[in-house]
């Protein structure tokens, strides 16, 4: 069992609860937010990146919050969905919203699943909140429980750079997450990648990537 990190303690606190309360609560709102941020809906990017993934694939989202992304995958036709969330407040809301979807409370640093439990494991804006010292462990855990695909949507930069987050330090980084995965888990290779600049901040870019064994 992993001892709580400073980041885990913060996201499990009222700080994390406020994050949950101010962000979208359903897939339609989330898709609209992504359209305003990038000029393209999240649903369109998901369809592009996941075009070759069987809809019966067993899928895990690490850091699912209230389950908006899982709701989007269900709308695409994915049927075997599991979410893992650190914050119990958000996990409870996900369970209420998504009957039939398994929601588990836990940490990316110690995933409570056997090796190769899922066909696809993904994060969306989650690795950016993992401290660089803990990032290799999180990536190894995600790769460990995936038998085939690893998918990510994270802030991109050529190297890991810390950014301030709501007046606090030690909570947010951007970096070359697809490359870091491949360095940490050499069995993974890049299948697809797309970089999306922010409409109002062209210097800020997200990378969407799909890796496979």
């Amino acid at each position: 069992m992993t001892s709580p990190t400073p980041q885990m303690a913060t996201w499990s606190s009222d700080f994390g609860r406020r994050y949950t309360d101010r962000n979208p609560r359903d897939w339609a709102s989330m898709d609209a937010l992504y359209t305003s941020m990038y000029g393209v809906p999240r649903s369109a990017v998901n369809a592009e990146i996941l075009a070759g993934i069987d809809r019966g694939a067993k899928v895990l989202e690490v850091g699912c919050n209230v389950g908006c992304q899982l709701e989007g995958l269900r709308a695409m036709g994915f049927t075997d969905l599991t979410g893992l969330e650190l914050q119990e407040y958000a996990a409870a809301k996900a369970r209420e919203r998504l009957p039939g979807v398994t929601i588990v409370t836990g940490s990316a640093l110690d995933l409570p699943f056997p090796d190769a439990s899922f066909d696809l494991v993904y994060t969306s804006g989650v690795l950016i909140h993992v401290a660089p010292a803990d990032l290799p462990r999180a990536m190894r855990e995600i790769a460990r429980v995936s038998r085939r695909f690893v998918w990510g949507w994270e802030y991109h930069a050529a190297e890991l750079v810390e950014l301030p987050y709501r007046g606090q330090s030690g909570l947010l980084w951007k970096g070359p997450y697809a490359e870091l995965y491949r360095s940490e888990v050499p069995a993974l290779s890049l299948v697809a990648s797309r970089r999306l600049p922010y409409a109002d901040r062209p210097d800020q870019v997200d990378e969407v990537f799909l890796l496979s064994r």
Side-chain angles (χ1 to χ4, degrees):
M1 182 67 70
T2 303
S3 299
T5 66
Q7 291 76 30
M8 291 166 64
T10 298
W11 290 110
S12 298
S13 70
D14 284 345
F15 182 92
R17 180 172 179 147
R18 290 193 296 273
Y19 169 89
T20 296
D21 285 343
R22 70 173 174 266
N23 277 280
R25 310 289 185 86
D26 59 64
W27 175 242
S29 299
M30 180 70 75
D31 212 22
L33 174 64
Y34 276 71
T35 302
S36 68
M37 290 170 64
Y38 311 108
V40 59
R42 169 86 189 220
S43 55
V45 179
N46 285 0
E48 173 188 328
I49 297 293
L50 302 180
I53 309 296
D54 187 273
R55 296 312 189 247
K58 191 172 183 179
V59 179
L60 169 67
E61 180 178 12
V62 176
C64 68
N65 201 254
V66 300
C68 291
Q69 309 292 0
L70 291 167
E71 183 183 354
L73 291 185
R74 190 165 64 179
M76 289 179 67
F78 287 94
T79 57
D80 193 342
L81 301 172
T82 299
L84 178 130
E85 172 55 38
L86 177 67
Q87 182 196 134
E88 179 54 40
Y89 175 73
K93 289 187 174 297
R95 293 185 191 105
E96 292 173 5
R97 294 185 57 255
L98 298 173
V101 175
T102 301
I103 305 295
V104 179
T105 304
S107 164
L109 302 183
D110 191 14
L111 294 175
F113 308 106
D115 295 356
S117 295
F118 300 91
D119 300 301
L120 169 70
V121 182
Y122 75 99
T123 63
S124 181
V126 169
L127 296 181
I128 59 175
H129 297 301
V130 177
D134 298 317
L135 192 58
R137 179 168 183 168
M139 289 181 162
R140 289 195 302 269
E141 278 290 277
I142 288 168
R144 177 184 67 78
V145 302
S146 174
R147 67 175 65 98
R148 182 75 187 279
F149 295 105
V150 171
W151 172 33
W153 187 313
E154 306 286 348
Y155 293 168
H156 176 75
E159 59 185 21
L160 282 171
V161 178
E162 184 176 355
L163 303 171
Y165 185 77
R166 293 190 168 260
Q168 296 200 35
S169 60
L171 289 179
L172 178 63
W173 293 264
K174 59 182 179 179
Y177 290 98
E179 293 178 20
L180 293 172
Y181 261 121
R182 287 180 287 166
S183 295
E184 198 61 42
V185 186
L188 293 174
S189 59
L190 187 66
V191 174
S193 175
R194 180 171 177 179
R195 293 183 184 173
L196 299 167
Y198 284 51
D200 61 344
R201 291 176 291 157
D203 59 321
Q204 175 66 57
V205 177
D206 280 8
E207 182 176 22
V208 190
F209 55 86
L210 183 66
L211 304 167
S212 176
R213 295 185 183 280

